[in-house]
Amino acid sequence: MSLQRGWFIVLEGIDGSGTTTQAKLLHEALVRSGTDCVVTREPTPGPVGVLLRQALSGQLRDGADVPVARLDFRCMALLFAADRCDHNERLIRPALASNQVVISDRYTLSSLLYQSLTAPVGEVWMDWLREINRTATKPDLTVVLDVTAETAKARRRARGGKDELYEVDELQRELAEAYLRGEKFVEGEQLEHVDGSQTTEQVHRQLLDRVLQLIADHP
Ligand code: TYD
């Protein structure tokens, strides 16, 4: 199916909500249906994304090879915004301009929620977070995969690997709550929820149906 325009779909949710699995399945299904489509993720594999992955896994080192424990949340927010800027320039905008469907595993909503909830209590950072992400292309549709922090944690445990920076019970609970109210943070944009606690196949079906409907309604 050749499209008259590009479509930008974002999947969001807490750590272990299934965004990576679902982004991959959605991409495969769209490719099978003959749709020109690309799957991508944040942090990206680009230079800023590589730095972010080091920060997330506690592997940052300075120029003298001394470990750096962690970066301030404002540094993290700026790095995520810089990675997103690079992502837009090198992948998202060109792909949309050539009428492809772009599926991104995480995007600006992750920054608005994770970075505001890791900011010092009582200080309000939402406007600043919006400002540093202002020039990022807006998604046509953001789908939040809602799961409880407990379900997501059990999935992360089953997957194995060490906990990353934000994989902390209390924060994940706050994030799950915030994602439930996701539309409040992206007013004027289209955001929908899918119950991420269903089977992989059920979530995939709902997601695929929704995306096919979106494309069919506005070819
Ligand atoms: P994720 O892809 O879920 O990690 P993994 O590949 O290890 O499964 O995302 C990495 C982490 O970065 C995750 O905890 C969410 C966080 N994050 C932010 O805090 N802000 C952002 O803007 C983005 C894109 C991710």
Side-chain angles (χ1 to χ4, degrees):
M1 178 179 25
S2 109
L3 301 170
Q4 304 302 309
R5 49 160 288 188
W7 291 95
F8 186 21
I9 316 290
V10 169
L11 301 189
E12 285 279 358
I14 63 173
D15 294 85
S17 60
T19 56
T20 306
T21 305
Q22 293 298 336
K24 185 168 164 278
L25 290 174
L26 181 60
H27 176 249
E28 285 168 3
L30 289 174
V31 168
R32 267 199 307 278
S33 77
T35 306
D36 209 358
C37 177
V38 59
V39 64
T40 183
R41 66 187 304 197
E42 291 189 0
T44 71
V48 188
V50 167
L51 190 62
L52 277 164
R53 294 233 174 249
Q54 289 169 0
L56 291 167
S57 58
Q59 280 162 5
L60 272 186
R61 305 186 89 82
D62 70 10
D65 211 27
V66 175
V68 176
R70 66 189 288 157
L71 295 175
D72 175 82
F73 82 97
R74 286 164 300 189
C75 271
M76 291 298 284
L78 289 164
L79 287 173
F80 281 116
D83 187 38
R84 190 160 298 124
C85 182
D86 185 38
H87 197 193
N88 268 267
E89 291 312 307
R90 289 198 295 139
L91 190 149
I92 299 170
R93 287 195 181 118
L96 292 175
S98 59
N99 295 353
Q100 298 192 61
V101 176
V102 177
I103 303 163
S104 185
D105 173 5
R106 297 193 178 281
Y107 197 61
T108 307
L109 185 57
S110 283
S111 282
L112 299 182
L113 301 189
Y114 280 76
Q115 274 60 65
S116 67
L117 287 171
T118 50
V121 181
E123 293 191 46
V124 182
W125 290 92
M126 201 48 90
D127 286 348
W128 178 71
L129 289 168
R130 285 214 173 82
E131 179 56 24
I132 61 174
N133 285 286
R134 185 168 51 80
T135 63
T137 304
K138 300 266 186 287
D140 294 298
L141 174 67
T142 297
V143 180
V144 175
L145 306 182
D146 288 308
V147 290
T148 63
E150 290 69 30
T151 301
K153 186 178 181 178
R155 288 184 187 166
R156 296 200 307 273
R157 287 281 167 276
R159 198 166 64 193
K162 274 177 64 183
D163 283 343
E164 292 205 318
L165 184 63
Y166 301 127
E167 294 175 357
V168 178
D169 291 349
E170 185 53 30
L171 173 61
Q172 291 291 322
R173 269 194 290 275
E174 289 172 10
L175 283 162
E177 284 289 309
Y179 271 118
L180 282 173
R181 300 177 284 115
E183 44 286 337
K184 292 224 162 52
F185 301 94
V186 289
E187 274 175 20
E189 293 181 32
Q190 199 168 344
L191 182 143
E192 294 175 16
H193 295 268
V194 168
D195 175 0
S197 67
Q198 304 174 95
T199 65
T200 302
E201 185 51 34
Q202 285 170 324
V203 174
H204 171 60
R205 272 273 126 227
Q206 286 184 20
L207 203 53
L208 180 61
D209 286 351
R210 186 61 196 93
V211 170
L212 289 175
Q213 180 195 10
L214 181 80
I215 294 172
D217 284 352
H218 319 262

